[in-house]
């Protein structure tokens, strides 16, 4: 099969991490007989520089024509002083809304090889894990095209007052909850709605919708938690969670927190999915946008030290969710696992910088090559 992939390397470390992910996709394509055609597009800071706006219309149009989108990261200090509507981050919001990808899947898994990079004590991990292992596997499903990020905002005439609004319609909550329930049904069958229903009216609506939608998923156990408590529980006892479904802002915050528990924010992939019924869906699969959850990390850019694994794992999610290529996705994940098993680390997931723990510290390119070699069944490096 042939697939068209829109590629937005973006700013900062974006291009450095997208390169290895493309190589991994191509290697998988060679092995399993698929062709991936890349359509490189500009968005973010680089688009501001060349086109004068963070998300040129032709970028969104071209992305819509593709089967899926792989994005590195956008943003950087160079564009920080621009007004809100011209900041690079607007490109992300515009792509998410324009592609109607309302459900953002952010899996936070503690791999056994990275146990020592997780800041939690063994006893904390073990106590909360149903099997008594120092591990956790949480899927955060973040609502991505509504809430505070897209509500009415503004300033008073004298600029001394500013406001942002949290607005959620029943349908917006329902569709992201259904994505969460579908995921929970094939995982450990637990879904926790995270909100601030003791204060916010929109959160109370989330609970009403969840109560209604949960009726359709009797095999899944539904629970509710306030977001402040959830921030604490993730650190106290991450093993208690299976699937968390939450609003745009709360999901943004909790996923950064969860990422640190996995060893590094550089490890976390994400998939942003729309509805299979949507007119943008191709071949029954929803349009998907795939990106690591880390940002453009300008301080790491150009040094060949960024961790490409979050982006490589995002490419695996693309194969799984947009193309239905489960075996191929699993092959990439197995490749990443094998490389970690062999002791290869980028510096963010290493325990020490001198290799004293039996680890071999690799740069971005070398880590990408190690995954490639694992995929192709070759000796490492
Ligand atoms: C993320 C990022 C973005 C967000 C920023 C860069 C706009 O933090 O994807 O989590 O807040 O959604
Ligand atoms: Mg974030």
């Amino acid at each position: 099969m042939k697939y068209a992939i829109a590629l937005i390397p973006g700013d900062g470390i974006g291009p450095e991490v997208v390169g290895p992910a493309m190589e991994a996709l191509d290697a998988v394509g060679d092995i399993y007989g698929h062709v991936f055609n890349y359509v490189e597009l500009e968005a973010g800071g680089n688009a501001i520089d060349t086109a004068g706006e963070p998300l040129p219309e032709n970028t969104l149009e071209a992305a819509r024509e593709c089967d899926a989108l792989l994005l590195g990261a956008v943003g950087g200090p160079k564009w920080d002083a621009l007004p809100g509507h011209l900041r690079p981050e607007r490109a992300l919001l515009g792509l998410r809304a324009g592609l109607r990808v309302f459900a953002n899947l952010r899996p936070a898994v503690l791999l056994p090889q990275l146990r020592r990079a997780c800041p939690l004590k063994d006893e904390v991990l073990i106590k909360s894990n149903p099997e008594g292992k120092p591990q956790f596997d949480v899927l955060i499903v973040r609502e991505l095209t509504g809430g505070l990020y897209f509500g009415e905002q503004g300033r008073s005439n004298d600029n001394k007052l500013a406001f942002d609004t949290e607005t959620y319609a029943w349908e917006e909550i329902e569709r992201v909850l259904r994505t969460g329930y579908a995921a929970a049904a094939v995982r450990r069958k637990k879904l926790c709605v995270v909100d601030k229903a003791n204060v916010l009216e929109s959160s109370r609506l989330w609970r009403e919708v969840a109560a209604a939608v949960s009726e359709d998923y009797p095999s899944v156990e539904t629970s509710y938690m306030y977001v402040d408590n959830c921030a604490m529980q993730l650190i106290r006892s991450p093993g208690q969670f299976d699937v968390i479904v939450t609003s745009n802002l709360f999901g943004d915050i909790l996923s950064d927190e969860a990422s640190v528990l996995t060893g590094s924010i550089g490890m976390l992939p994400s998939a942003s999915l729309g509805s299979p019924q949507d007119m943008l869906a191709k071949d029954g699969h929803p349009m998907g946008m795939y990106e690591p959850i880390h940002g453009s990390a300008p301080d790491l850019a150009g040094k060949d030290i960024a961790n490409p694994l979050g982006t490589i794992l995002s490419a695996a999610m693309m194969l799984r969710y947009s193309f239905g290529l489960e075996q191929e996705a699993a092959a990439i994940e197995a490749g990443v696992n094998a490389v970690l098993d062999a002791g290869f680390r980028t510096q963010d997931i290493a325990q020490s910088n001198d290799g004293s723990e039996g680890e071999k510290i690799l740069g971005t390119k070398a880590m990408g090559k190690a995954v490639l070699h694992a995929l192709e069944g070759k000796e490492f490096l």
Side-chain angles (χ1 to χ4, degrees), residues 74 89-90 92-93 96 104 106 142 144 149 248 251-252 255-256 291-295:
V74 298
E89 290 80 2
R90 291 304 309 174
L92 273 186
L93 304 192
R96 291 167 180 175
N104 182 218
R106 299 190 163 189
R142 168 187 178 193
L144 203 60
Y149 277 57
N248 206 340
D252 179 46
S255 58
D256 265 31
E291 50 180 321
I293 84 152
H294 63 69

Side-chain angles (χ1 to χ4, degrees), residues 109-115 135-136 262 267 313 336-337 340:
V109 183
L110 178 57
L111 300 173
Q113 302 95 321
L114 299 186
R115 165 66 197 98
Q135 287 171 16
F136 60 83
T262 69
M267 290 300 298
L313 292 170
V336 169
N337 238 311
L340 294 174

Side-chain angles (χ1 to χ4, degrees), residues 100-154:
R100 298 204 277 275
V101 287
F102 56 81
N104 182 218
L105 274 48
R106 299 190 163 189
V109 183
L110 178 57
L111 300 173
Q113 302 95 321
L114 299 186
R115 165 66 197 98
R116 304 268 307 272
C118 166
L120 298 183
K121 291 183 199 146
D122 254 348
E123 63 223 58
V124 172
L125 291 169
I126 288 170
K127 209 169 51 190
S128 74
N129 182 283
E131 288 159 36
K133 292 186 184 150
Q135 287 171 16
F136 60 83
D137 177 351
V138 186
L139 175 66
I140 297 179
V141 180
R142 168 187 178 193
E143 199 290 323
L144 203 60
T145 54
L148 211 52
Y149 277 57
F150 289 92
E152 203 188 322
Q153 58 178 200

